[in-house]
Amino acid sequence: MERKVFDGVGDIKFLTPENCIFTKNENGFIKASVDGAEPIRVYLYRVFPHDMTDKYISVTDSDKTELGMIRDIAEFGEDIARVINDDLNRRYFIPKILAITALEEKFGNSYWNIKTDIGERTITVRDTFKSIIRIGEDRAIVSDEDGNRYEIVSLEALDRKSYRRIELFL
Amino acid sequence: MKEIEKARRRQREKLHNESQRLFDRVAQSSSDELLFKFAFNLDCENRDTVGAVGVTRDMLFVATEGEKNGDATSVTAHRIADYTEFKARVNIGTVSLEGERDGEWIEFCRTDMTLSPYVTDAARCLSALLEYDGEGTPDIVYEPDRRICPICHTPYDKGVTVCHNCTKPASNFKRLMAIVKKDIPLIIVAFSMFFVLSLIKIANPALQKVLVDGYLMPSEYVGAQEDIFKGIITVVILLALLQLVYRVIEVIRSNILVLVSTRLVKKLRTLLFDKIQLLSISAVSRRTSGELINRMIRDTMHISEFFSGYVPQLIENTLIILFVGVAMFLYNWRLALLVLIPAPIIMMITRRVWRFTHRLYHRQWMMEADSNTILHDVFQGIRVVKVFGMEEEEIKKYDKAIKKVAEVSEKNEITWAKIIPYMTYIIGIGNYIVMAFVGTRIIGGEMTVGDLTMFTAFTGQIYYAFDWLSRLPRRLQMTSTAVSHIFDIVDEEVDVKDSEDAIEDFEIDGNVEFSNVSFGYEEAEDVLRRISFSVKKGEMIGIVGRSGVGKSTLINLIMRLYEVREGSIKIDGVDIKNISQHCLRSQIGVVLQETFLFSGTVLDNIAYADQNASREDIIRAARLAGAHKFIMKLPDGYHTYVGDRGYTLSGGERQRIAIARAILRNPKILILDEATSALDTETEQIIQNSIAALVKDRTTFAIAHRLSTLRNATKLIVLDKGKIAEFGTHEELMRKNGIYASLVLAQRTMSTIAKKS
């Protein structure tokens, strides 16, 4: 149950299939019509990007004014949920690291050969200790020096060799 | 290492080669010359692809690889004039180039962050092309590469022009040597001392051999007991003397090195501090003050320690390996070979072990730092912890952190304890070779007991030197990193620079004109867009708008703390780029929301605005600012110590000191950035009077949340979405019934509610 902080003020405007229609235009952008208004291009942001990728999605217009929030993408039915998820996947590009095939350290920077879900990459990680951010016990996000991010979904699930390579940086 | 570097290069080259063909296709499609082109690496669904974009004066071409077979290359052409806006949209992990056509957006291409500078710069250039009127050649400069290392293609850190990847340690050390140039004769003296020291070191075992073979255990008759006695004493005295000489030279050498290294630290620190003062606010605020202090203190100390502690050892050990090696070979080459052959292997083993243990301890150190952060947080935020009753949770959190540290350090100690004995054993292994080799030959009479002592000593020395050298790379890396940290700042381009012909003695009258000013802190995002307005001398301009809309940015631009990206700001008809920064800012007075008082007296703090002001001027300024009265109530009057460790002043008092500072400066242009918003209404009333005195006859820019503060403003600028939404007097804007009017009404309602309750 949502808690009312003040009368009206703290309320979240939730977007539901009843008050909001999402469409995808021919250019591949997502549009929304809220409360029967003219459809406009909207931008989707995950409120809790680390642990709730398909819940609590903030929907804003081009000025970043929040039009409302999706509580759970699934509420919108399979077809619309796909449109929403497609858009989120376009916005959030975080390849998943499947294996670390080599890791060398030099001058505080480290050089990694990684296998990701979108192919092999060679990345340079500056200030290795600080560039690996742990999320909870088992997950980690690695930022390389170009500003790309990579996710290790489960440290535990990494193969032994991969884990050994990054163990000391965790 | 090399493998990974190669893989990285392969990755770049692959994109380059594959895009090359696409560039050719683009060039074929166009009759005009390409103004710029770039490759991209993702399709709109974030899948790997190769594509190329080429831009001519009127057209934008996008070439993409259709399927993997490579034949199905498709080129789409877009007329630039059909679009109303171009934008680089920064997503999470990607950047896309978009254009707006008939109110609809289209995405042209998309890359990961590795190629992002190419896209953001393209968007900037395309926007410039939109405004190009068709006369002559469009004035666009596409140069994303200035932010990318030409060797390894890694983007530089913002503002930095050295690449971390590619700077060779050697070049860094060369630059260090250039800094200590004057001390080079001293360094040479120190260096020659090393020769003497190393020679003495190998003379020692040789003398010992003379002692043993000649007198203690002579293999044949050497003379009367008396002579032997004399001989022994002579050798011992010689040994003692050599040792004394060794120590004396060592002291002199250390003194020289300490002298050189402290001078080096001083020079580095001055270099850094001067540079940091010169850099623009954006360059400085990009780093935390902790980081800057670290570079000033820790990195320079690192270098100093390296020079005074490690360099001497390095030279000494190298010389010892050289001298002892040669001596051994000359004396008995077979034995020398036997001793030296295992040395590289042992060095490799020890090196690996040191690296491994270093990483173990580094990890432990990081964890300790983590637990220290918890402590720091809790002590700093102890009130919050108490008020929310979170003591138990904080205890648990800290317990967990130190438990982790304890576990890791226990594990490390055990590993350490396991490794060290073996290490010592390995380093001592040469002795057994010597013992076996010499021992068997003593029996045969080919060698003597003196040979045994001498060779054992030599072996110890040479193995120790190898061991030490194996630990050096780590230290070399650390120092090299410290050096590149420092040069990183030293080499940073000053982004707000005085031009060579900047006017030094420009006297400001007070007319300010903005024409088409655009500015953003990030490449892809403009905070202010095409701002134009003009202000006459003596006018007071109120700047209004929601927070984050760019009000403070606007006044920062007037002070030229940042450089405008496009357009110009003119004061009395002169572009502020052509006025020296010192000249410009010395005529601008500022009162900010948060007043920073330096550690020092009230007097020092007011006089900060004008070091040459007379005491009377200072009192006058304080009186005008309404500060004199409370200053006189302080125990030491104007000599009361304030700031970090001094007397605590209230917000209103600090603000009045800031106003006194501004008055003393007698500026032609005055900037008030939320000068009174942190104060209660009553204090604000008092200060308003001081401000009224200050504002008189000066061009004033004032930002205030409380709109009533701006009632004296000649004109008001209402900023919205980075643009000027409304401009005019209070009455005009109220009549217009737009953003300003609604803000005023909202505040009135608020204050009525406040009064009622």
Side-chain angles (χ1 to χ4, degrees):
Chain A
M1 273 311 287
E2 93 192 63
R3 225 161 62 185
K4 295 212 166 175
V5 183
F6 294 112
D7 284 341
V9 180
D11 287 355
I12 302 166
K13 158 103 180 168
F14 281 109
L15 302 179
T16 59
E18 285 74 44
N19 64 13
C20 178
I21 300 161
F22 286 103
T23 48
K24 190 175 183 175
N25 75 359
E26 69 268 32
N27 297 332
F29 293 129
I30 193 164
K31 290 191 152 199
S33 152
V34 180
D35 295 329
E38 187 74 14
I40 53 165
R41 181 176 173 192
V42 290
Y43 302 84
L44 308 184
Y45 299 87
R46 289 184 175 128
V47 180
F48 307 108
H50 288 161
D51 64 352
M52 288 188 173
T53 47
D54 52 3
K55 294 190 175 65
Y56 297 103
I57 308 296
S58 167
V59 180
T60 75
D61 65 10
S62 58
D63 294 321
K64 293 186 178 158
T65 310
E66 191 174 272
L67 304 173
M69 199 177 284
I70 301 171
R71 190 184 261 138
D72 188 344
I73 295 174
E75 284 174 23
F76 283 83
E78 214 173 286
D79 290 345
I80 300 291
R82 193 178 312 119
V83 170
I84 295 172
N85 271 321
D86 281 353
D87 199 78
L88 284 170
N89 290 334
R90 280 162 49 97
R91 167 170 292 281
Y92 291 86
F93 178 60
I94 309 175
K96 294 181 177 58
I97 295 181
L98 307 174
I100 299 157
T101 48
L103 195 158
E104 293 272 355
E105 199 197 358
K106 194 183 170 194
F107 300 116
N109 297 339
S110 54
Y111 303 83
W112 306 35
N113 273 343
I114 49 172
K115 274 196 187 118
T116 73
D117 55 344
I118 55 151
E120 286 186 30
R121 287 277 197 279
T122 301
I123 60 171
T124 306
V125 178
R126 240 175 237 177
D127 210 339
T128 317
F129 277 92
K130 283 188 189 158
S131 298
I132 304 177
I133 296 165
R134 293 285 290 269
I135 297 161
E137 284 298 307
D138 199 31
R139 276 172 70 204
I141 301 274
V142 182
S143 306
D144 80 355
E145 66 176 342
D146 296 332
N148 295 308
R149 297 202 231 180
Y150 300 89
E151 183 183 1
I152 300 173
V153 181
S154 164
L155 289 165
E156 200 125 309
L158 278 182
D159 61 283
R160 226 181 120 65
K161 273 190 178 165
S162 297
Y163 185 76
R164 288 279 295 272
R165 289 193 174 104
I166 55 162
E167 188 186 9
L168 287 178
F169 297 109
L170 297 173
Chain B
M1 183 63 235
K2 277 197 180 123
E3 276 314 303
I4 294 187
E5 209 134 86
K6 267 187 212 155
R8 196 179 166 85
R9 196 163 303 143
R10 268 204 304 276
Q11 194 169 301
R12 304 275 176 192
E13 274 166 8
K14 190 173 153 232
L15 181 75
H16 179 80
N17 294 338
E18 285 176 22
S19 57
Q20 202 51 52
R21 201 165 36 80
L22 294 170
F23 283 138
D24 294 343
R25 280 295 308 272
V26 167
Q28 282 163 21
S29 318
S30 146
S31 49
D32 269 351
E33 185 201 348
L34 288 182
L35 296 174
F36 61 87
K37 57 182 187 179
F38 60 91
F40 59 91
N41 62 4
L42 290 176
D43 71 3
C44 62
E45 307 287 337
N46 291 339
R47 285 175 304 224
D48 258 358
T49 186
V50 179
V53 170
V55 175
T56 69
R57 207 182 285 186
D58 319 290
M59 303 293 283
L60 168 80
F61 296 98
V62 184
T64 44
E65 201 84 75
E67 292 299 322
K68 280 285 169 216
N69 61 28
D71 281 342
T73 312
S74 66
V75 180
T76 45
H78 306 265
R79 246 169 62 87
I80 292 171
D82 290 342
Y83 291 84
T84 46
E85 202 181 338
F86 289 97
K87 212 166 181 173
R89 196 169 297 281
V90 182
N91 304 304
I92 316 287
T94 62
V95 180
S96 54
L97 180 64
E98 292 181 7
E100 191 185 30
R101 181 183 177 172
D102 304 328
E104 294 284 345
W105 285 91
I106 290 171
E107 179 175 315
F108 302 113
C109 68
R110 175 177 278 253
T111 73
D112 64 12
M113 298 311 281
T114 312
L115 300 173
S116 70
Y118 294 95
V119 176
T120 46
D121 221 40
R124 188 182 59 77
C125 288
L126 282 164
S127 303
L129 270 179
L130 271 183
E131 272 154 47
Y132 162 63
D133 52 10
E135 298 281 317
T137 342
D139 180 28
I140 62 157
V141 188
Y142 180 73
E143 45 177 18
D145 290 338
R146 75 203 133 111
R147 301 194 297 272
I148 293 176
C149 169
I151 300 162
C152 70
H153 299 279
T154 307
Y156 294 137
D157 276 351
K158 228 174 151 187
V160 178
T161 39
V162 259
C163 176
H164 279 286
N165 273 346
C166 300
T167 33
K168 295 256 157 31
S171 71
N172 273 339
F173 286 112
K174 230 189 239 166
R175 289 186 64 181
L176 274 187
M177 289 319 285
I179 292 174
V180 289
K181 206 165 58 190
K182 271 193 189 151
D183 292 329
I184 284 181
L186 270 181
I187 295 173
I188 292 174
V189 172
F191 192 80
S192 56
M193 288 178 169
F194 283 114
F195 270 93
V196 182
L197 290 180
S198 309
L199 283 175
I200 294 178
K201 266 202 166 170
I202 59 165
N204 247 325
L207 277 175
Q208 278 171 20
K209 175 184 148 60
V210 172
L211 188 67
V212 175
D213 286 353
Y215 304 105
L216 298 180
M217 304 178 78
S219 49
E220 57 202 59
Y221 178 74
V222 282
Q225 193 146 16
E226 215 170 281
D227 293 336
I228 295 178
F229 191 75
K230 265 189 200 158
I232 292 177
I233 295 297
T234 320
V235 176
V236 172
I237 289 175
L238 211 57
L239 274 171
L241 271 178
L242 273 179
Q243 202 50 234
L244 182 67
V245 174
Y246 185 90
R247 296 297 164 201
V248 170
I249 294 179
E250 203 180 23
V251 169
I252 301 173
R253 180 208 63 179
S254 306
N255 280 346
I256 293 177
L257 285 169
V258 168
L259 187 77
V260 173
S261 67
T262 44
R263 279 193 202 164
L264 174 66
V265 167
K266 186 177 152 265
K267 277 181 193 154
L268 283 175
R269 285 188 183 159
T270 326
L271 206 64
L272 267 176
F273 190 74
D274 291 357
K275 184 69 184 207
I276 293 170
Q277 296 292 319
L278 271 182
L279 287 174
S280 72
I281 301 260
S282 62
V284 175
S285 53
R286 220 171 26 242
R287 308 181 168 95
T288 61
S289 59
E291 195 184 330
L292 287 174
I293 291 171
N294 256 342
R295 293 199 177 175
M296 292 279 309
I297 306 296
R298 220 180 54 192
D299 286 337
T300 52
M301 274 310 285
H302 236 87
I303 294 167
S304 151
E305 274 166 20
F306 185 77
F307 265 80
S308 58
Y310 278 75
V311 171
Q313 290 238 39
L314 169 67
I315 300 173
E316 201 172 322
N317 284 312
T318 318
L319 288 177
I320 280 179
I321 290 176
L322 212 73
F323 288 167
V324 173
V326 170
M328 281 163 80
F329 266 102
L330 288 180
Y331 199 81
N332 189 326
W333 65 271
R334 280 195 202 87
L335 180 54
L337 265 185
L338 269 179
V339 171
L340 286 179
I341 282 170
I345 304 164
I346 290 170
M347 207 167 139
M348 256 160 60
I349 298 172
T350 56
R351 187 167 169 208
R352 285 203 160 240
V353 173
W354 293 133
R355 261 168 73 174
F356 175 68
T357 50
H358 173 84
R359 278 173 73 179
L360 287 183
Y361 280 97
H362 190 60
R363 186 177 176 220
Q364 182 179 335
W365 181 79
M366 291 299 287
M367 283 180 168
E368 274 164 14
D370 275 354
S371 70
N372 288 346
T373 312
I374 297 179
L375 278 188
H376 194 254
D377 272 3
V378 170
F379 292 158
Q380 289 248 305
I382 191 74
R383 284 168 65 132
V384 183
V385 176
K386 289 264 171 210
V387 169
F388 282 91
M390 293 292 280
E391 295 94 331
E392 286 288 322
E393 274 71 15
E394 291 298 339
I395 292 171
K396 270 186 217 149
K397 211 158 106 190
Y398 186 63
D399 264 357
K400 199 175 152 196
I402 52 173
K403 208 176 137 201
K404 225 161 119 189
V405 173
E407 274 169 19
V408 170
S409 78
E410 191 189 314
K411 208 173 127 194
N412 285 354
E413 290 309 321
I414 292 172
T415 319
W416 186 251
K418 273 185 200 155
I419 289 173
I420 281 302
Y422 295 117
M423 286 290 289
T424 327
Y425 178 77
I426 287 174
I427 293 167
I429 225 161
N431 281 330
Y432 301 111
I433 301 173
V434 173
M435 260 186 247
F437 188 91
V438 183
T440 48
R441 278 164 184 75
I442 292 177
I443 306 298
E446 292 161 54
M447 294 183 97
T448 62
V449 179
D451 289 330
L452 183 66
T453 38
M454 184 175 75
F455 265 97
T456 315
F458 277 160
T459 316
Q461 282 176 352
I462 211 164
Y463 273 53
Y464 173 82
F466 276 125
D467 176 44
W468 190 90
L469 283 179
S470 73
R471 276 183 258 183
L472 182 73
R474 184 82 235 167
R475 190 66 202 194
L476 211 64
Q477 275 183 21
M478 278 161 78
T479 310
S480 176
T481 315
V483 177
S484 60
H485 273 167
I486 288 172
F487 285 133
D488 208 39
I489 294 183
V490 173
D491 292 339
E492 187 153 336
E493 241 178 274
V494 179
D495 45 2
V496 179
K497 250 187 284 194
D498 278 342
S499 62
E500 268 173 35
D501 49 353
I503 313 171
E504 289 287 350
D505 51 355
F506 185 74
E507 201 149 314
I508 292 179
D509 209 26
N511 301 299
V512 179
E513 191 191 348
F514 270 60
S515 44
N516 275 321
V517 171
S518 295
F519 174 79
Y521 297 95
E522 300 292 329
E523 288 289 333
E525 202 126 335
D526 276 345
V527 178
L528 295 175
R529 278 196 73 108
R530 290 174 211 292
I531 301 283
S532 299
F533 64 88
S534 63
V535 177
K536 284 197 201 72
K537 178 189 172 183
E539 286 186 328
M540 178 177 174
I541 304 298
I543 305 170
V544 184
R546 277 179 298 183
S547 49
V549 81
K551 302 186 295 279
S552 296
T553 307
L554 190 84
I555 57 170
N556 284 341
L557 291 179
I558 299 174
M559 292 187 274
R560 212 175 151 219
L561 293 178
Y562 300 92
E563 206 81 275
V564 297
R565 181 174 297 156
E566 275 161 44
S568 67
I569 301 171
K570 286 183 181 142
I571 293 182
D572 302 326
V574 178
D575 194 322
I576 56 170
K577 278 184 189 167
N578 300 326
I579 306 172
S580 92
Q581 293 172 59
H582 179 75
C583 170
L584 173 74
R585 290 184 202 137
S586 67
Q587 299 178 69
I588 297 180
V590 193
V591 183
L592 304 170
Q593 179 175 9
E594 278 290 317
T595 301
F596 186 78
L597 296 184
F598 290 97
S599 302
T601 61
V602 172
L603 180 71
D604 296 337
N605 268 289
I606 299 177
Y608 197 78
D610 180 2
Q611 306 288 325
N612 302 319
S614 72
R615 295 287 167 99
E616 278 177 32
D617 284 343
I618 288 171
I619 298 172
R620 239 173 258 136
R623 289 182 78 94
L624 256 172
H628 180 71
K629 210 168 150 190
F630 83 77
I631 294 173
M632 288 321 292
K633 283 186 191 155
L634 298 173
D636 296 311
Y638 281 75
H639 278 137
T640 305
Y641 200 87
V642 293
D644 208 15
R645 282 162 302 171
Y647 194 86
T648 319
L649 298 176
S650 76
E653 291 167 342
R654 284 163 168 270
Q655 217 51 357
R656 274 174 275 177
I657 289 188
I659 293 168
R661 230 188 235 168
I663 291 176
L664 190 65
R665 186 138 215 179
N666 192 19
K668 298 291 167 34
I669 295 174
L670 180 68
I671 286 169
L672 306 171
D673 188 353
E674 300 280 13
T676 57
S677 63
L679 310 175
D680 59 87
T681 341
E682 208 173 317
T683 321
E684 194 189 355
Q685 281 300 328
I686 302 171
I687 289 181
Q688 276 302 330
N689 298 332
S690 331
I691 286 182
L694 183 56
V695 165
K696 219 172 152 225
D697 297 329
R698 298 175 216 276
T699 309
T700 305
F701 292 89
I703 298 178
H705 263 110
R706 242 177 259 161
L707 298 175
S708 54
T709 326
L710 299 177
R711 60 177 168 251
N712 298 327
T714 333
K715 273 179 197 149
L716 295 152
I717 291 176
V718 182
L719 287 178
D720 190 36
K721 296 171 194 166
K723 292 182 178 164
I724 296 186
E726 293 167 15
F727 185 64
T729 62
H730 171 79
E731 284 74 25
E732 282 168 6
L733 296 188
M734 286 307 283
R735 244 177 283 137
K736 200 176 172 192
N737 208 8
I739 300 176
Y740 179 73
S742 65
L743 282 172
V744 171
L745 283 179
Q747 289 200 352
R748 276 190 198 150
T749 331
M750 282 288 282
S751 60
T752 351
I753 294 172
K755 268 179 205 154
K756 272 183 193 161
S757 61

